Amino acid sequence: MTGTRFFGADEWKAAGVAAFLAFVVFRATLAPTVTLEHSGALVVAADHLGVGRVPGYPVWTLLAKGFICLFPGAQYHGHPNPAWAVNWMSAFFGAVACGLLAALACRLARAAVPSSGALGAVSGIAAGLLFAISPTTWSQAVVAETHTLTNFCFLAVLALALRWVETADRRSPY
């Protein structure tokens, strides 16, 4: 393994800018309580550590319970509102996924054109923000759904796979 870091300063800056801007947009349009689709079942499952629907989403449920515990005072019209905390979790993981996509795009631009510099950072931020404002991503990042965590995990695996491909030692992906 080489001593250089996989993501450089430009990639981290692009990721931070894209994640921050995406989170601002998601937070501004966040659903205040339970919405349509499977939101109600997922919020109840997270609040009581149950199974909302098949296959159960155990990691998502535990993370959502953590966010509910992180925001115990969330209320809607004077009533406890765990849905707000779970919706906030979706916005958080959606924003982090957008930031990770920006970092990956910036990294790939640097790999393709080593002197890309600021142009690579701008392309990474653009990629992250375009992903954030796409109708599918945006609609799932403001309600209690599992898709933003899935997007984040997929992009994290993609980053790890890219790191593994670029290393000189290809014995094991770990």
Side-chain angles (χ1 to χ4, degrees):
M1 225 185 206
T2 63
T4 62
R5 294 179 183 257
F6 184 67
F7 288 133
D10 288 340
E11 287 89 6
W12 285 113
K13 289 175 188 174
V17 168
F20 176 76
L21 293 175
F23 184 74
V24 166
V25 170
F26 294 157
R27 179 63 186 94
T29 58
L30 191 68
T33 188
V34 176
T35 59
L36 300 175
E37 297 181 25
H38 300 284
S39 177
L42 289 171
V43 169
V44 170
D47 196 27
H48 297 286
L49 290 178
V51 177
R53 60 184 172 140
V54 176
Y57 307 110
V59 173
W60 184 91
T61 303
L62 290 172
L63 287 170
K65 181 64 174 182
F67 272 79
I68 290 171
C69 293
L70 189 63
F71 299 108
Q75 292 190 354
Y76 187 70
H77 294 298
H79 299 287
N81 187 17
W84 182 85
V86 177
N87 295 345
W88 201 90
M89 182 189 80
S90 291
F92 173 77
F93 279 112
V96 172
C98 293
L100 187 54
L101 179 65
L104 281 169
C106 188
R107 175 72 174 92
L108 290 173
R110 183 169 48 113
V113 182
S115 63
S116 62
L119 185 61
V122 169
S123 66
I125 293 169
L129 292 180
L130 285 173
F131 182 66
I133 64 170
S134 70
T136 305
T137 302
W138 194 345
S139 69
Q140 299 302 306
V142 296
V143 299
E145 275 295 335
T146 60
H147 304 295
T148 57
L149 180 62
T150 304
N151 288 342
F152 169 71
C153 290
F154 174 75
L155 288 167
V157 168
L158 191 63
L160 290 173
L162 184 61
R163 168 88 173 159
W164 177 65
V165 166
E166 288 187 355
T167 58
D169 181 18
R170 295 194 178 165
R171 290 179 292 172
S172 172
Y174 302 110

